[in-house]
Amino acid sequence: MLRLPSNAGPQSPRPSQGRPYASPRGRAGSTGVPENLTPQNRGKLAMAGASKTWCVAKPSTSNVELQNNILYVCTEQGLDCRAIQPGGSCYEPISSINHASVAMNLYYQKYGRQSHTCFFKNSGLAVFTDPSKITN
């Protein structure tokens, strides 16, 4: 599993500033909704910002991309990812998809649950069900 540097805790977070993880429509003055959504889906996605939502990694995402998402959130953006470190509250189950989902959701929650803050090169999925309450 990925080991983050010990200084990967909170720092001054910076919005994506055109980083590759922002959606093409995620810039100021835009709707923040990816262009490829149908009109029916746009309404459902807009509703997502009004209620409690979470960002999780899509199951089809490669392990490399999941690791990149963790590094982006925990290192480049400086969010506190101790929860996915050994002994952390979200360390188990130990899998890239679970750890990436936690990290991606930290970013999504930090930046206001906007649709473009769960894009992550199309590897994120905003959901209405709290993923921590789901059991297998």
Side-chain angles (χ1 to χ4, degrees), residues 29-51:
S30 70
T31 63
V33 177
E35 295 177 27
N36 60 348
L37 291 179
T38 65
Q40 295 81 12
N41 289 341
R42 287 178 194 263
K44 291 176 185 174
L45 190 57
M47 288 177 15
S51 63

Side-chain angles (χ1 to χ4, degrees), residues 39-121:
Q40 295 81 12
N41 289 341
R42 287 178 194 263
K44 291 176 185 174
L45 190 57
M47 288 177 15
S51 63
K52 186 67 174 165
T53 55
W54 294 262
C55 180
V56 297
K58 289 182 180 177
S60 60
T61 306
S62 73
N63 280 330
V64 169
E65 195 60 38
L66 294 171
Q67 294 299 323
N68 287 339
N69 291 347
I70 293 169
L71 287 173
Y72 176 73
V73 170
C74 301
T75 303
E76 290 184 42
Q77 293 297 307
L79 297 184
D80 184 357
C81 293
R82 287 179 284 188
I84 59 174
Q85 292 299 302
S89 60
C90 299
Y91 182 65
E92 293 183 3
I94 303 170
S95 72
S96 294
I97 195 163
N98 289 330
H99 289 182
S101 291
V102 171
M104 292 162 67
N105 190 56
L106 285 170
Y107 182 86
Y108 179 69
Q109 300 299 324
K110 171 79 175 174
Y111 292 106
R113 296 191 320 257
Q114 302 292 320
S115 60
H116 64 274
T117 62
C118 186
F119 188 73
F120 291 93
K121 291 186 179 178

Side-chain angles (χ1 to χ4, degrees), residues 9-34:
Q11 298 171 7
S12 297
R14 303 172 310 267
S16 63
Q17 301 172 345
R19 313 266 318 168
Y21 289 93
S23 72
R25 305 257 338 241
R27 292 171 180 76
S30 70
T31 63
V33 177

